[in-house]
Amino acid sequence: MTRTPTPQPPSRRVDAERNRERILTAARAAFADPDADVSMAEISRRAGVGSATLYRNFANRRELLEALYIDEIDAVCEAAATIDGGSPGATFTAWVRRFYTYFTSKRLVAAELLQQTSPDDPVFGTGLARVLDASRPLLLAARKSGEIRVDLTLEQILDMVGAIAKIPGDSSYHEPILQAALDALRPAKDD
């Protein structure tokens, strides 16, 4: 008689990684909702894990905020590597729009993280350096193709987008301002 092997439970590593992702997903949703209670207890409840599991993964709120911030930096950098606009200039502006979306949707996480640290904290410097390194080739290609003007640095362009994102109003108010700024990145046509 052959015995059917009993199924083994998933390894603790798989379970731990699944719990970590559930916590990060719940925290992203909580921070995206401006009316939500974003306490650690609420994140634990939303994730469907106990507080011990939450604190095993993130010893404190700052660690959780850093993980969310780093995940978003990863997504912005990944977008720089994968986004396609059909031409170098269109690709760059599509990525700038992605950066704008990141900036507007994750500003609360970064703002709270700043309250718990300082602008000089290495997490911010590393994040900015990664974004610049990932997006600089897009800008260089767009300039080389003649689709983006050469008198603005990447840092100036991202600061401009950040300033637009901070203007009071919703996305319908911001959209024409952002579009005007993106249009202004094109070189002037000779008459």
Side-chain angles (χ1 to χ4, degrees), residues 18-125:
R18 190 176 309 127
N19 285 338
R20 180 179 170 82
E21 285 307 311
R22 288 170 60 189
I23 293 165
L24 288 171
T25 299
R28 270 187 219 100
F31 278 105
D33 179 357
D35 299 325
D37 168 21
V38 193
S39 67
M40 294 294 271
E42 176 61 14
I43 291 168
S44 174
R45 186 194 67 73
R46 285 178 178 228
V49 299
S51 62
T53 299
L54 173 66
Y55 285 104
R56 224 181 350 268
N57 282 277
F58 303 100
N60 54 49
R61 188 176 183 87
R62 179 180 170 180
E63 282 186 21
L64 177 61
L65 290 166
E66 283 183 8
L68 290 170
Y69 177 77
I70 290 166
D71 279 358
E72 283 305 312
I73 294 296
D74 289 347
V76 169
C77 292
E78 175 69 20
T82 59
I83 202 160
D84 183 24
S87 73
T91 298
F92 178 70
T93 56
W95 180 83
V96 170
R97 281 188 170 281
R98 172 62 179 92
F99 178 80
Y100 167 81
T101 300
Y102 152 75
F103 200 90
T104 56
S105 65
K106 300 307 172 197
R107 194 170 54 191
L108 294 175
V109 169
E112 185 171 334
L113 187 54
L114 266 172
Q115 289 174 359
Q116 297 186 22
T117 62
S118 77
D120 300 333
D121 189 293
V123 74
F124 292 114

Side-chain angles (χ1 to χ4, degrees), residues 149-181:
R149 56 197 282 179
V150 298
D151 60 335
L152 291 171
T153 67
L154 180 57
E155 292 83 354
Q156 288 171 318
I157 294 168
L158 297 184
D159 283 345
M160 175 183 64
V161 170
I164 293 167
K166 291 177 184 177
I167 296 171
D170 62 13
S171 61
S172 66
Y173 184 77
H174 289 171
E175 176 54 33
I177 301 168
L178 179 62
Q179 187 58 55

